[in-house]
Amino acid sequence: MELRYGILCNSYIFQQWQAQALRLLHENGITAALLVMDANLPEQISWRKKLWVYPYKKLLFRMFMRFRVKPDAKKSVDMTTDFANVPVLHCTTRAEGFSEYFSDPDVNAIKSYRLDFIVRFGFGIIKGEILQVAQYGVWSYHHDDEQFYRGVPSCFWEIYEGNPVTAAILQRLTARLDSGVILKKGYWGTINHSFTANMNQLLSGTSEWLLQVCRDIQQGTAPYFNFQQSTSPAPMRYVPGNWKMAKFLLLILKNKITFHYKELFRHEIWNVGVVKMSVNQFVEKRFAEDAMDIHWLPEIKRGRYLADIFSYTSNEKDYFLCELYDYKKQKANITQFSLLNEATVNVNDRKLVISGANHFSFPYIFENEGNIYCIPECYQSSCLKIFRLNVANGLFEFHTVLLESVRAVDPVLFRFNNLWWLLFTSDTHSNTKLYAYFSKEIFGQYQPHGNNPIKTDIRSSRSAGQLFMMNENLIRPAQDCSVTYGSRICLNAIQKLTPEEFEENSIGFIAPFKDSKYPGGLHTLSFTNQYTFIDGKKYAFIGVQFLFQLKRKIGI
């Protein structure tokens, strides 16, 4: 299905993230049919009047934005060559309050191009018939969560108010500002010590959305165009005055000091634990916040820790694998323990079963045709490897490469609707963007999902363990990294998973055990018939990690 689109713009100069979004469309066969350029002449004001009307109450914000906020995503890109053969229509709008209206002749001229959609990368707040001239309307970005933050400036108020999550939407515009029909929505962890970095991650992280919505239209999987417009209760936000801006700058300074302090002095120590109950019982008790007995392993040598626990049974004996991380080596290998009765771990039966020069973690276990396999995270190898258990020596030996040229983080493999599915995040967006691949055969040729990444949500994208059935739903555990890495587990019920569609809903969260020795996080959930396995973290000062971080910060 061929799509024709137009662009509302001010000139051939676009911001870098906008240029990336438009070039993705072009690279995938979706080319622009019309440029609608703003022909409004700027008001001529004498320098005396400028001095008189200048908003001095917002001076701090204006100076900050001009001299300190320079995200790469907003760098200027000249796209004259890209659009050399695209017709240009120069339009002058009529101002009514804060809104702009297109003239009837210009609206009719735009209609004549029979556009499927229009992207707003220019003009101001547009209203009127222009919103209806394209089949799928006018699409516009809002880099904030419209449920909480309407208006301006983008990516600012989350830092100011201490919100751990910053969201963005791509919407089909309606008459009400920031209350359109939501086409795409994503969530990132707020970078509270840098306004520039927080803005940069959202701008660059949303550039692929135009292409994704176009793919949905082409595949006939875009029901959201028929959804009701957002009914946000959020008040309108405005550019902060000098008092609020001074408070914001002090807050940024405080957050920056806290950020560097934590990296230098507060280091994660994970450990794994065993609970003698089924995973469904475990989840129900955690949802009810009931107490339970957890058998934590004894801590190993300082400067190392255990995490990411998965289990299997061989020769009627229970084993589990976990990541053994070494701060001194800045990498991990996969180690194995055996399990004794009453959830007691045989700590004297530990051995490395997967190791090498690269980092190995998250040893996801699965069985197929009587064999036991492990698909660990090994993104540094730039491929996705599978290892098979050698029953004779108890080691996991390399079996095959499942995917080439990927840097997959926390991969899981499972069968759903007669297809084998791989889900993982990437090392560049390890906590935020979820990717899917599928194959008819377990060791077959895996194809990318028709609309990767299938999810952008720091609260529930990154895998957190073994999938399981609960109340006739397939549940995918995922990490909630919004407050901190591995802060808790989100349980997602998969509703749709096909080569073209994906939908899952959160059914609840599994919080860390605040009354245990490891109250700081929880990011893995796995199980056997009668046992549930988890991990937990606390913080401690690790000398070798302090030196590593210090050298990195001062550039040694």
Side-chain angles (χ1 to χ4, degrees), residues 394-410:
L395 300 178
F396 281 82
E397 299 173 347
F398 173 74
H399 178 64
T400 188
V401 171
L402 211 56
L403 273 181
E404 298 275 8
S405 302
V406 298
R407 294 173 67 84
V409 171
D410 292 354

Side-chain angles (χ1 to χ4, degrees), residues 58-115:
K58 298 173 181 177
L59 176 64
L60 271 181
F61 177 80
R62 287 181 166 233
M63 294 297 102
F64 180 67
M65 293 297 292
R66 181 173 181 178
F67 297 109
R68 295 293 299 171
V69 181
K70 300 181 184 296
D72 290 341
K74 296 191 77 170
K75 289 181 178 178
S76 296
V77 176
D78 189 338
M79 300 191 72
T80 304
T81 303
D82 298 74
F83 298 128
N85 299 317
V86 178
V88 178
L89 181 64
H90 294 275
C91 295
T92 303
T93 58
R94 180 183 80 257
E96 291 187 13
F98 292 104
S99 303
E100 298 180 36
Y101 292 81
F102 283 76
S103 67
D104 291 341
D106 284 343
V107 168
N108 291 331
I110 296 171
K111 277 184 180 179
S112 69
Y113 284 88
R114 298 180 181 178
L115 303 174

Side-chain angles (χ1 to χ4, degrees), residues 160-171:
Y160 187 86
E161 296 180 355
N163 191 330
V165 175
T166 303
I169 61 171
L170 176 63
Q171 59 183 329

Side-chain angles (χ1 to χ4, degrees), residues 430-462:
S430 60
N431 297 330
T432 308
K433 295 189 176 184
L434 181 66
Y435 294 81
Y437 284 71
F438 62 93
S439 173
K440 291 182 179 179
E441 304 295 333
I442 187 171
F443 300 122
Q445 187 72 32
Y446 278 80
Q447 303 295 323
H449 189 275
N451 221 351
N452 273 332
I454 58 175
K455 187 174 190 177
T456 301
D457 193 341
I458 195 169
R459 306 167 306 172
S460 61
S461 287
R462 184 170 179 168

Side-chain angles (χ1 to χ4, degrees), residues 216-259:
D216 283 344
I217 293 172
Q218 292 172 326
Q219 295 168 166
T221 55
Y224 39 77
F225 277 100
N226 298 318
F227 293 173
Q228 295 294 317
Q229 72 181 67
S230 171
T231 55
S232 171
M236 193 64 63
R237 305 293 182 118
Y238 301 97
V239 171
N242 292 335
W243 174 249
K244 284 187 177 180
M245 195 62 207
K247 180 180 177 182
F248 177 80
L249 294 174
L250 290 174
L251 182 62
I252 287 283
L253 177 62
K254 171 182 172 292
N255 292 342
K256 194 177 291 289
I257 293 171
T258 301
F259 170 77

Side-chain angles (χ1 to χ4, degrees), residues 141-274:
Y141 284 89
H142 177 62
H143 290 98
D144 281 312
D145 190 335
E146 88 292 349
Q147 291 297 311
F148 300 98
Y149 308 102
R150 297 170 61 229
V152 293
S154 297
C155 310
F156 175 92
W157 297 105
E158 293 85 350
I159 298 175
Y160 187 86
E161 296 180 355
N163 191 330
V165 175
T166 303
I169 61 171
L170 176 63
Q171 59 183 329
R172 176 176 179 168
L173 291 178
T174 59
R176 186 167 185 258
L177 181 63
D178 298 331
S179 296
V181 176
I182 307 300
L183 309 180
K184 294 288 292 184
K185 189 168 187 175
Y187 302 83
W188 287 258
T190 301
I191 303 176
N192 67 2
H193 61 277
S194 172
F195 182 35
T196 297
N198 199 42
M199 182 184 296
N200 199 63
Q201 70 167 344
L202 261 74
L203 294 177
S204 60
T206 55
S207 59
E208 63 209 353
W209 284 1
L210 294 181
L211 175 61
Q212 288 190 303
V213 176
C214 287
R215 283 174 174 166
D216 283 344
I217 293 172
Q218 292 172 326
Q219 295 168 166
T221 55
Y224 39 77
F225 277 100
N226 298 318
F227 293 173
Q228 295 294 317
Q229 72 181 67
S230 171
T231 55
S232 171
M236 193 64 63
R237 305 293 182 118
Y238 301 97
V239 171
N242 292 335
W243 174 249
K244 284 187 177 180
M245 195 62 207
K247 180 180 177 182
F248 177 80
L249 294 174
L250 290 174
L251 182 62
I252 287 283
L253 177 62
K254 171 182 172 292
N255 292 342
K256 194 177 291 289
I257 293 171
T258 301
F259 170 77
H260 290 298
Y261 171 81
K262 288 181 176 179
E263 283 203 328
L264 288 169
F265 297 101
R266 283 174 57 83
H267 308 127
E268 294 182 350
I269 298 293
W270 290 86
N271 199 8
V272 297
V274 184

Side-chain angles (χ1 to χ4, degrees), residues 7 35 72 92-93 130 145 166 184 191 235 260 277 329 334 409 417-418 485 514 518 520 524 532 550:
I7 308 170
L35 296 183
D72 290 341
T92 303
T93 58
I130 185 65
D145 190 335
T166 303
K184 294 288 292 184
I191 303 176
H260 290 298
M277 64 178 63
K329 297 178 180 178
I334 305 304
V409 171
N417 286 346
N418 299 317
Y485 167 67
K514 296 299 184 182
Y518 306 97
T524 311
T532 297
L550 183 62

